[in-house]
Amino acid sequence: MKDNSQDKNRPEGPPEELPGGASQALSSALQKTFESLLQEPVPDKFEALIARIREEEARKAAGPGPAES
């Protein structure tokens, strides 16, 4: 019996164009969604994470501190 599981995972090739302006409508809807997401506030936990990362980068950019023993 032939195993067809590999055939299912293989890409079929480039997608076909969507009919009747559907591609443009989808593109426009995705763009609006993306723009609205950019307007959302950043959660506090991510603000804290970003602050920690920036502090660490600033320390690295400042160079080595006093030698530790």
Side-chain angles (χ1 to χ4, degrees):
M1 186 192 282
K2 185 177 176 183
D3 181 16
N4 292 331
S5 62
Q6 290 179 349
D7 293 339
K8 293 177 185 177
N9 294 330
R10 190 178 318 151
E12 295 179 12
E16 297 179 20
E17 283 293 316
L18 297 174
S23 179
Q24 181 62 35
L26 284 171
S27 177
S28 180
L30 285 171
Q31 183 66 33
K32 287 178 184 176
T33 301
F34 178 74
E35 289 171 0
S36 70
L37 287 173
L38 291 177
Q39 301 303 317
E40 292 290 323
V42 177
D44 291 340
K45 65 181 179 179
F46 292 120
E47 292 276 354
L49 176 61
I50 291 167
R52 276 193 0 233
I53 291 169
R54 287 184 176 154
E55 288 171 5
E56 182 66 27
E57 289 175 347
R59 276 192 294 250
K60 288 180 181 179
E68 295 179 10
S69 305

